[in-house]
Each structure stands twice: as C-alpha cells, then as structure tokens.
Amino acid sequence: MLADDDGALTIEVTPETTFEAVIGIETHVQLNSKTKAFCRCAYAYGAEPNTRICPVCMGFPGTLPVLNSAVVKKGIAIGTALNAKIRRTSKFDRKQYFYPDLPKGYQISQFDEPLCYDGVIDVVLPVEDGGGVKRVGITRAHLEEDAGKLTHAVGEDGKKYSYADFNRAGVALLEIVTEPDLRTGREVAAYGAELRRIVRFLEACDGDMSRGSMRNDVNVSIRPVGRETFGTKVEVKNMNSFNAMARAIDYEIARQEELIRAGKVHEIVQETRTWDEGAQKTVAMRKKEGLADYRYFPEPDIPRLKLSDAFIEEVVRTMPELPSAVRARYA
Ligand code: ADP
Ligand code: ZN
Ligand code: MG
C-alpha cells in the first residue's frame, strides 16, 4: 500500500510496480553585497568570531533595519536570469523561532509576497547522464537574512562547549524554490550546477558550497510510475557538493522504496533529515515545523518595497551575458 499526501492508503504495490521520485529544491544563495541586508556590517567568511556585528544585526531593542539596495538589485538580477516575474511591490515579514544562533528571535524574510515568482530554467543534462534538456519551474525567490553559526567543541577542561558566532547574522540571502519537477539525483545535480553558474556570472554569489555560500535543501518523495498524486516528502539538508546531493537523493529514494515494499509506508513521515557524508546516508533530524509555528507577520520596521520600472530596467540592462546565452552563441 502507498499513502497519498493526505494520508489515505489507496494503492496496492506489487513486485512489478516501479517507482519514480518527485523532487523540489530550495537553495539559499548568500548574496555578496558589501554590507549585510539591513545594517552596515561587512561579512567576511572566516573572520574572527563576533567582529562583524552591530546593534542592528544583533537585534538590540530600539534599533531599526534599513534595506540595502544592492541586495534588491542582486535579487532582481537572479530572478530575471531565472525568467521569473519581479514584483513591483513586495513586503518583508518576521519568521519567528527560537535558536541560539538567532539573536533577534525572528528572521526577516518574505512570506506571501516574494520579490520574484513564476520562473523557469532549462537545464542541460550531461551527456553521460543521457543528455537532453530538463525544464525546471521556479516557484519563487525571496529575500531574507541569514542566522549566525554555532560550533560545538570540547574545551581544555574536557567539557563540551557550544560557541556562537554572529558574524553571519543578517547577511543577505535569496532563497530560490523550485516546483517539484525534478526526478533524479543527476537532474538535481545538473540544476544546482546551472544555478551556480548563473549566480557566478551575475557576480551575485561565489557559489562556494563548502563555505555555505550556496546551501541546498532537497525535498524528496516517491510514487509508482504513472500515478499523478504525490507521496509524503522528506527534506534533506547539509550536503556540501552537487555530487553529495545526488547521492543523498539516491539513498532517500531507495530508503523510501524499501519502506513501501515492506508495507511500512506510514514510516515515511514529513521530516527533516541530514546527509551524513561519512556514513553515506540520511539521518532523521527533526519533524517538520508546521507553518503556524513560525507566526509570520509583516515586519513593522521596514516599509513596503516599491520598485519603479526604471529601477528594474536599469538592473536588467547592466546584466552580463548568461550561461545559456553563451552556450547558444558557442553552438
Ligand atoms: P513546505 O511547506 O514543507 O516548505 P512547500 O510546498 O513550500 O513545502 O515545498 C517546498 C519544496 O518541496 C518545493 O521545492 C516543492 O517543489 C517541493 N515539494 C512539495 N511537495 C513535494 C512532494 N510531495 N515531493 C517532493 N517535493 C515536494
Ligand atoms: Zn550589523
Ligand atoms: Mg515552503
């Protein structure tokens, strides 16, 4: 038996049944603006901990965020490269949760009015994967701020400590979300590589996954071939290369198929798993938070973002040639 997304058990699985995966990607692209999204701190990877912070990105009472225009321009450029629509007016919201790397207790993000929406890119698949072109829908791309970073270590006294570095708190991100259009780990790796090429061509992000400048979360479910409805999806985080992404997906597909064939479809639950590179497998991390838990509400300290046609046109006019155009020209 296989469960529908709404939990109903309706499908009989026989040994002849073959499955296909349904995959959607959420990518956090760290924008390389000189200063953070809402304050004048300059982020630098590897800087001395807690030297790139100020009252604004630390969320001290009485401070006010001011939106950095460079962040908006980079967001528009990436959105345009993804053939997305750019919203003439959008807003920011507070996504609230508690975690030691989040000094404010909320993250400024865009909830229901993302800067970019409704895009599409054609991804060229490597010849060794059969070649061809995969069309991937882009649901949305929205601006938000990054959180700080925790590291865990054993001190000289032999006790365990957690260290909080807030340098990254408030750094600008563009979160790009795809439609569930991808079907294999190789397609996902090709999509990720094309996205990285785009942000690099635009000089909006260095695309260095090992430094966390580009972080991909993959959402994976499986279904019998020919079936229209989706199965329950699992989110996998913490892969630091496209190769690792492909392997994590292949592992997840095999794990889910095995559970279904063993009659344990109820054990596929909506959860976040982490990729364990050493063990080459995904490990359960936490149950997925419900949307209501974040208590999104409009950020009262940032006015609506209103973009003139002239502002958008200027960004688009100064964009360099994109990877797809270069490929077409060389061909
Ligand atoms: P959530 O509310 O859990 O964040 P979303 O609907 O916003 O879920 O989708 C997040 C990502 O998961 C998107 O990339 C989307 O395409 C993908 N996705 C949604 N449903 C499924 C599914 N059943 N299987 C695989 N991927 C999915
Ligand atoms: Zn700051
Ligand atoms: Mg979502």
Side-chain angles (χ1 to χ4, degrees):
M1 297 283 256
L2 181 65
D4 277 339
D5 212 3
D6 61 8
L9 294 168
T10 49
I11 279 211
E12 203 69 46
V13 175
T14 67
E16 289 74 46
T17 309
T18 52
F19 291 88
E20 71 170 356
V22 171
I23 309 162
I25 313 294
E26 298 164 286
T27 307
H28 288 91
V29 171
Q30 201 176 73
L31 301 175
N32 59 2
S33 50
K34 286 199 200 86
T35 59
K36 295 185 183 181
F38 305 107
C39 67
R40 298 175 65 183
C41 294
Y43 173 70
Y45 181 86
E48 183 73 18
N50 299 310
T51 56
R52 307 295 179 114
I53 57 175
C54 75
V56 174
C57 53
M58 292 299 287
F60 289 1
T63 56
L64 287 173
V66 177
L67 179 60
N68 179 349
S69 64
V71 164
V72 178
K73 288 177 184 165
K74 287 172 194 285
I76 292 171
I78 296 173
T80 301
L82 300 174
N83 304 295
K85 300 192 175 92
I86 310 297
R87 220 179 270 279
R88 291 314 193 253
T89 128
S90 63
K91 70 171 168 62
F92 288 87
D93 303 275
R94 291 187 180 179
K95 179 181 181 176
Q96 305 178 93
Y97 62 93
F98 173 83
Y99 202 68
D101 67 6
L102 189 74
K104 292 209 291 272
Y106 61 86
Q107 175 192 28
I108 302 177
S109 183
Q110 294 190 297
F111 177 48
D112 51 353
E113 295 183 27
L115 178 66
C116 322
Y117 63 101
D118 210 1
V120 62
I121 57 167
D122 285 331
V123 177
V124 181
L125 301 172
V127 189
E128 58 271 28
D129 296 330
V133 170
K134 175 74 192 185
R135 178 155 288 198
V136 183
I138 305 294
T139 314
R140 55 184 285 160
H142 64 263
L143 294 171
E144 62 181 30
E145 58 179 344
D146 213 337
K149 206 172 157 57
L150 295 182
T151 45
H152 310 283
V154 179
E156 282 170 20
D157 56 5
K159 291 183 182 154
K160 289 181 187 166
Y161 289 90
S162 291
Y163 300 89
D165 174 10
F166 296 108
N167 283 352
R168 207 178 64 180
V171 170
L173 302 174
L174 186 74
E175 177 175 345
I176 301 164
V177 183
T178 77
E179 290 290 296
D181 289 345
L182 296 142
R183 295 290 172 265
T184 65
R186 301 311 303 165
E187 283 182 8
V188 169
Y191 165 78
E194 179 69 1
L195 189 58
R196 182 166 68 177
R197 255 175 247 123
I198 289 172
V199 300
R200 282 182 171 168
F201 271 51
L202 293 173
E203 294 179 13
C205 170
D206 65 20
D208 189 338
M209 288 173 79
S210 65
R211 292 181 160 204
S213 327
M214 224 181 132
R215 305 194 286 275
N216 296 284
D217 303 338
V218 303
N219 297 270
V220 189
S221 64
I222 65 168
R223 63 179 174 186
V225 171
R227 189 175 164 81
E228 296 240 324
T229 46
F230 295 157
T232 299
K233 75 169 155 51
V234 162
E235 182 185 45
V236 187
K237 290 179 180 291
N238 293 337
M239 296 127 312
N240 62 7
S241 70
F242 297 128
N243 230 313
M245 273 165 79
R247 277 180 278 126
I249 287 164
D250 290 345
Y251 177 87
E252 197 49 37
I253 292 170
R255 185 186 74 88
Q256 293 183 18
E257 181 169 341
E258 198 172 305
L259 284 172
I260 290 172
R261 289 200 190 280
K264 296 178 183 168
V265 64
H266 56 276
E267 286 183 24
I268 304 174
V269 291
Q270 194 157 325
E271 64 182 355
T272 300
R273 301 176 70 88
T274 182
W275 173 245
D276 183 335
E277 182 68 37
Q280 293 285 302
K281 58 189 210 176
T282 67
V283 182
M285 198 157 88
R286 58 165 186 260
K287 293 273 173 293
K288 183 85 182 165
E289 301 87 350
L291 190 58
D293 298 346
Y294 291 125
R295 301 267 162 172
Y296 278 99
F297 76 91
E299 166 62 66
D301 291 339
I302 302 177
R304 287 192 73 82
L305 175 60
K306 293 180 184 159
L307 302 170
S308 67
D309 288 345
F311 184 89
I312 295 172
E313 279 160 20
E314 180 61 13
V315 173
V316 174
R317 194 183 61 77
T318 51
M319 279 169 62
E321 191 176 27
L322 293 167
S324 53
V326 173
R327 273 195 302 266
R329 190 155 54 79
Y330 284 0

